[in-house]
Amino acid sequence: SPFEYAPAPESRSVVDIAPSYGLFIDGEFTDAADGKVFKTVSPSTEEVLSEVAQAGAEDVDRAVKAARKAFEKWSALPGSERAKYLFRIARIIQERSRELAVLETLDNGKPIKETRDADLPLVAAHFFYYAGWADKLDHAGFGANPRPLGVAGQVIPWNFPLLMLAWKIAPALATGNTVVLKPAETTPLSALFFADICRQAGLPKGVVNILPGYGDTGAALVAHPDVNKVAFTGSTAVGRAIAKTVAGTDKKLTLELGGKGANIVFDDAPIDQAVEGIVNGIFFNQGQVCCAGSRLLVQESVHDELLDSLKRRLSTLRLGDPLDKNTDIGAINSEEQLTRITSLVEQGEAEGAERWSAACEIPAAGYWFAPTLFTNVTQAHTVARDEIFGPVLSVLTFRTPDEAVAKANNSQYGLSAGIWTEKGSRILAVASKLRAGVVWANTFNKFDPTSPFGGYKESGFGREGGRHGLEAYLDV
Ligand code: TXE
């Protein structure tokens, strides 16, 4: 129809992706010592985007040495000088945000609407926020003479590649630490573009080093004897392995691991608003979010009405080309992740939960999963317990607020939760009993650099963001 609103997809041409990239060590792009490379593909097309150098143990050592050398001067700079660099980086990110948003969408598969309106603004906000702290550390009640720890070894996942980098690098630099960061193997590109931004900002050599690679590169970084602080975001299994490596050393450690967030809807909640919040809670970034609201706890009396509205809403979500500004559901980040999601969903069906999936046309190439709901779910079902990390929502019911709290807390994880109700008193009463690092009320997935973020229980320890995020990088 000539009246149909169909804006053009965001142009791929705004980003210039080179056919190959090196490691970023001591301010220069270089090959890996053993010459190894790996390919990064676009999960929405399976097209190879670039070939990237793969760091080995020798490169880790080189990067840690560069970071150690840079630490002497960087940590001795007045905070006001470090702030200038961080402000400069933040401004360059804003200036280049269109290019970075398209790049991130290509490498990760998430909709451009999200990279443009959520990831990139939050990345810049993080650098601005921590730039503002750099000259105030002596006066902020951290105790006398707060000092940086030294070289930070940071390992990040693929679900928010540039945002996780910002969460790790901005507080580390503001406090005077230097960094060696390993991006995830499926999404190395935005970290390499960030390396270029560090050069553009004139950041002294060696302050930030970027080492693309697989798990063994991460393991070598974590184990390096001259790394003083380890910060990891990723799976609980790898978090456990890292904790073992670090145990008995003088390294400081923060871990941000998995989750199985409960989104609790009471019978007095405005249903339409709750439906939007539920959709945002689990289908944002195809559900590949550690704090996703992946368990819906709905009060029995509104279960049928809510489920009807939810299914209607899910049927309107558009799955497809992530560069199209109308797309709601992009590609799953990798074939491996798609396989993991598929096998957990099959297990859910085999255990007797009832599956419903939105009818979507699945593109021929790429990795895709239609928005899916499970009803008739019990707390014993795998889909109610395990992190699926995909666009899959498990629906459970409750009768009383106490039962809602008990079910929400019945999880090995404790990262996030949501409450939907008109009663302010109920928000306060329920929130105070939830064992989760963040509780949202009548909203979900709201992030802000001023707020500490992190888990209870097996979701990890330590906080990122806010004033608490600085403590992880300081000795006082
Ligand atoms: O994670 P990994 P994967 C969860 C989610 C997902 C599952 C597996 O449930 O389905 O984990 O994802 C690096 N030493 N989350 O396999 O392996 C790795 O190269 C040091 C939740 O992708 O933990 C990557 O850079 N590093 C999550 C990073 O760790 C190692 C985000 C994360 O990868 C390593 C991602 C090792 N031995 C997945 N092995 C969240 N909390 O947001 C791997 N790595």
Side-chain angles (χ1 to χ4, degrees):
S1 146
F3 303 107
E4 210 166 272
Y5 174 63
E10 181 61 274
S11 171
R12 219 205 122 130
S13 63
V14 301
V15 56
D16 190 11
I17 302 176
S20 65
Y21 286 94
L23 315 170
F24 186 67
I25 300 177
D26 208 14
E28 308 292 339
F29 286 98
T30 84
D31 291 339
D34 60 9
K36 273 197 188 158
V37 295
F38 66 101
K39 291 181 169 64
T40 183
V41 303
S42 185
S44 60
T45 58
E46 298 176 56
E47 162 207 358
V48 174
L49 293 172
S50 191
E51 204 169 67
V52 175
Q54 183 180 333
E58 207 177 307
D59 306 301
V60 168
D61 189 51
R62 210 152 43 104
V64 172
K65 285 202 171 97
R68 170 65 52 201
K69 191 161 152 248
F71 176 69
E72 280 173 39
K73 282 191 186 153
W74 180 250
S75 59
L77 280 184
S80 55
E81 287 300 311
R82 291 198 304 271
K84 280 186 200 164
Y85 290 107
L86 289 169
F87 278 123
R88 217 177 281 156
I89 288 171
R91 282 194 299 268
I92 298 172
I93 287 166
Q94 285 185 319
E95 284 159 15
R96 295 179 63 175
S97 66
R98 189 151 172 244
E99 172 197 357
L100 293 167
V102 171
L103 176 76
E104 195 83 315
T105 283
L106 286 170
D107 208 14
N108 168 281
K110 64 172 76 187
I112 189 74
K113 185 157 84 171
E114 293 182 9
T115 44
R116 183 194 62 193
D117 298 344
D119 297 56
L120 263 299
L122 281 168
V123 170
H126 245 81
F127 279 97
F128 278 118
Y129 175 76
Y130 281 116
W133 271 107
D135 60 355
K136 300 172 189 72
L137 299 173
D138 289 335
H139 319 287
F142 288 111
N145 221 351
R147 301 219 190 107
L149 302 173
V151 176
Q154 307 178 323
V155 179
I156 59 170
W158 42 264
N159 54 343
F160 294 90
L162 201 52
L163 186 57
M164 288 303 102
L165 173 149
W167 282 26
K168 299 273 181 290
I169 292 186
L173 297 196
T175 42
N177 298 273
T178 55
V179 164
V180 180
L181 176 137
K182 192 199 86 66
E185 50 271 38
T186 56
T187 54
L189 293 182
S190 55
L192 294 165
F193 273 56
F194 180 80
D196 182 51
I197 289 173
C198 291
R199 291 216 296 203
Q200 205 182 332
L203 192 73
K205 289 179 176 195
V207 171
V208 167
N209 305 273
I210 305 286
L211 297 184
Y214 288 78
D216 56 340
T217 312
L221 176 58
V222 166
H224 194 288
D226 208 25
V227 163
N228 307 100
K229 147 88 191 174
V230 172
F232 173 74
T233 299
S235 63
T236 297
V238 172
R240 259 191 216 119
I242 289 177
K244 279 187 192 154
T245 303
V246 166
T249 72
D250 61 356
K251 293 179 175 120
K252 294 211 170 163
L253 176 64
T254 45
L255 295 175
E256 204 265 273
L257 310 173
K260 192 75 187 176
N263 211 350
I264 308 169
V265 181
F266 288 96
D267 59 7
D268 64 332
I271 294 290
D272 289 350
Q273 206 181 315
V275 164
E276 287 311 307
I278 293 162
V279 170
N280 170 21
I282 183 63
F283 300 111
F284 175 61
N285 198 16
Q286 295 71 247
Q288 303 165 125
V289 182
C290 50
C291 56
S294 51
R295 286 183 298 156
L296 175 63
L297 302 185
V298 53
Q299 199 153 15
E300 231 172 51
S301 50
V302 290
H303 173 271
D304 293 353
E305 182 192 352
L306 183 79
L307 262 287
D308 285 347
S309 306
L310 188 55
K311 285 178 185 170
R312 268 200 308 276
R313 181 69 180 91
L314 294 185
S315 302
T316 69
L317 294 178
R318 295 180 191 207
L319 177 147
D321 181 4
L323 282 180
D324 187 326
K325 291 165 188 165
N326 283 322
T327 293
D328 302 299
I329 306 283
I332 301 299
N333 180 249
S334 65
E335 192 170 15
E336 195 187 348
Q337 186 59 23
L338 180 60
T339 305
R340 206 175 284 140
I341 296 168
T342 308
S343 91
L344 280 163
V345 166
E346 282 167 4
Q347 198 172 339
E349 287 180 293
E351 288 175 11
E354 208 167 289
R355 175 187 177 174
W356 178 93
S357 291
C360 313
E361 206 174 302
I362 302 289
Y367 317 125
W368 309 90
F369 204 90
T372 294
L373 299 177
F374 272 113
T375 51
N376 282 338
V377 176
T378 72
Q379 295 185 87
H381 280 139
T382 304
V383 292
R385 310 185 72 80
D386 286 12
E387 182 176 55
I388 299 175
F389 225 60
V392 182
L393 179 66
S394 299
V395 185
L396 297 103
T397 58
F398 68 88
R399 287 187 181 155
T400 64
D402 281 348
E403 194 190 339
V405 168
K407 285 188 170 168
N409 286 339
N410 183 13
S411 170
Q412 71 193 91
Y413 296 116
L415 197 53
S416 70
I419 303 170
W420 297 84
T421 173
E422 289 282 31
K423 286 194 185 134
S425 58
R426 182 175 279 163
I427 292 172
L428 297 176
V430 171
S432 68
K433 292 180 194 148
L434 292 174
R435 306 245 304 130
V438 57
V439 179
W440 285 291
N442 295 329
T443 187
F444 212 91
N445 275 339
K446 278 261 152 55
F447 303 99
D448 187 294
T450 68
S451 304
F453 183 92
Y456 284 38
K457 300 191 263 183
E458 286 184 30
S459 292
F461 50 78
R463 293 293 178 264
E464 294 184 300
R467 185 186 182 288
H468 295 80
L470 293 165
E471 284 167 5
Y473 289 93
L474 286 173
D475 259 333
V476 295

